[in-house]
Amino acid sequence: MTLIITNCSKRKRAPLDPALHAGALMKGSTTAVAAAWGERLLAASPTTAAKDLYAGRAFREAATTARVLSARIAIVSAGLGVVDGATPVPSYSLTTARRDPDDILAKTGSTAAEWWVSLQAHSPFHSTSIDEEEGLILAALSSSYFAMVVDGWVLWPAERKVRLRLFTKEEPQGVADDLRKAWMPYDDRLDTVGDGHAGTQSDFAQRALRHFAITIGDKGRLDHDRAAVLDSLDGLEARQVPVRARHSDDDLRALITNQWDVVRGRSGAMLRHLRDDLGVACEQSRFKRLFGLVVEDRKEGGQP
């Protein structure tokens, strides 16, 4: 059976277990923090199958591909290890993203790869599903998650690497040739390969996975599969992404205030106006926060 591997997401579909916030852990060595986290996981109540826990487009892309292929899915989770999609797990908040309140690396002072080694040893949910699979392995990972697991994957037996098809935004560098050759050579032309394949950089790997699995299909040999990917992109041009200017929070807040009447105070229209008309870069979550502050400013000033 085909095994699909993808990374988890910060957004969860189930309420977070109050005891499973990495920010609540004490600082310590990687081993000590992983052991403390493992104890919390062991005491937690699994509520949701792993394949149903994670939200976000990237995860949906991988899950959809798994359903279409009737494939198993395994999730690389910085909080749980490698989890089989059918395994019930608790909802948690742990990340290796810097400046996040639940950044585990702020507790350990380690690298994500070092944390990954200790996590696998202490998580009661870590699975050997990858070791047990004898079929094709389709792995779609963000660059940060691939960097976390790559040291272990380099040590895989040669026959498993031959069965691996790897989907990441960039070609792996500094790794053994047999792992690097497993990479499928997609690039930004994927956005124009057909309807439904455009997206963001954050879901690039999973979109490439879906295109390969559903449109191309395994040709039986790595070199044939790589050639088929290049053939599918031949003659296409990457879509032009507008370059938008970045501003500080204070500048953006002032800009939203100044442009308020232009869009009559409508949030969605304001974001489009900033991006499309003024050429300003602003992520949606950041915009939502700043727009809310402007609303409060206007209320304090007696403005509707």
Side-chain angles (χ1 to χ4, degrees):
M1 177 182 289
T2 297
L3 173 66
I4 286 177
I5 304 173
T6 194
N7 51 263
C8 67
S9 64
K10 182 174 176 60
R11 291 174 54 206
K12 310 295 192 297
R13 295 183 180 276
L16 296 175
D17 186 321
L20 294 182
H21 285 266
L25 295 171
M26 298 291 292
K27 291 184 178 181
S29 69
T30 305
T31 300
V33 174
W37 180 250
E39 290 175 0
R40 293 189 178 219
L41 291 177
L42 194 60
S45 299
T47 59
T48 311
K51 63 182 176 62
D52 299 321
L53 178 62
Y54 302 99
R57 175 171 174 174
F59 190 82
R60 289 200 310 271
E61 289 276 6
T64 296
T65 303
R67 286 194 298 271
V68 171
L69 298 184
S70 298
R72 291 173 63 196
I73 186 169
I75 300 100
V76 175
S77 161
L80 302 176
V82 176
V83 188
D84 189 279
T87 299
V89 297
S91 188
Y92 63 95
S93 183
L94 182 151
T95 181
T96 57
R98 298 298 188 182
R99 296 185 296 277
D100 188 284
D102 291 310
D103 171 21
I104 196 64
L105 303 185
K107 301 294 182 178
T108 64
S110 65
T111 66
E114 291 167 339
W115 165 253
W116 181 247
V117 172
S118 289
L119 173 67
Q120 293 176 89
H122 291 92
S123 171
F125 297 100
H126 179 66
S127 167
T128 58
S129 56
I130 297 177
D131 300 332
E132 297 165 357
E133 184 55 58
E134 297 180 351
L136 191 66
I137 300 174
L138 305 178
L141 299 172
S142 68
S143 58
S144 60
Y145 274 87
F146 181 67
M148 187 171 68
V149 304
V150 66
D151 289 348
W153 288 21
V154 166
L155 302 177
W156 281 2
E159 64 83 21
R160 187 185 303 165
K161 292 177 187 174
V162 170
R163 293 186 281 112
L164 174 66
R165 305 295 182 269
L166 178 62
F167 305 88
T168 59
K169 182 61 174 66
E170 305 293 341
E171 181 177 8
Q173 300 296 322
V175 300
D177 281 350
D178 52 0
L179 187 58
R180 182 180 56 79
K181 289 177 181 177
W183 179 70
M184 297 292 101
Y186 282 97
D187 56 39
D188 286 330
R189 289 175 292 176
L190 174 64
D191 287 336
T192 60
V193 78
D195 290 341
H197 291 292
T200 65
Q201 295 299 303
S202 63
D203 56 35
F204 179 92
Q206 290 77 12
R207 290 186 288 117
L209 161 72
R210 178 167 60 87
H211 179 265
F212 176 86
I214 297 175
T215 305
I216 295 179
D218 177 41
K219 306 300 181 185
R221 283 177 46 179
L222 268 173
D223 54 346
H224 291 176
D225 287 348
R226 288 172 61 91
V229 169
L230 292 174
D231 285 345
S232 72
L233 301 176
D234 187 44
L236 301 177
E237 293 185 5
R239 63 187 177 92
Q240 297 299 310
V241 179
V243 178
R244 299 187 174 102
R246 303 195 65 83
H247 296 272
S248 68
D249 283 3
D250 288 343
D251 287 345
L252 274 173
R253 195 168 167 178
L255 192 57
I256 292 170
T257 300
N258 292 336
Q259 298 295 312
W260 188 268
D261 291 337
V262 175
V263 298
R264 291 177 292 182
R266 294 172 297 167
S267 174
M270 179 67 78
L271 182 56
R272 292 193 297 272
H273 178 55
L274 292 177
R275 288 174 171 175
D276 299 340
D277 300 332
L278 303 182
V280 173
C282 188
E283 295 176 349
Q284 189 164 0
S285 59
R286 183 186 181 206
F287 169 79
K288 183 177 180 181
R289 174 174 58 83
L290 295 175
F291 188 86
L293 292 175
V294 172
V295 170
E296 293 300 317
D297 290 343
R298 292 178 62 84
K299 287 180 180 178
E300 290 178 4
Q303 296 175 292

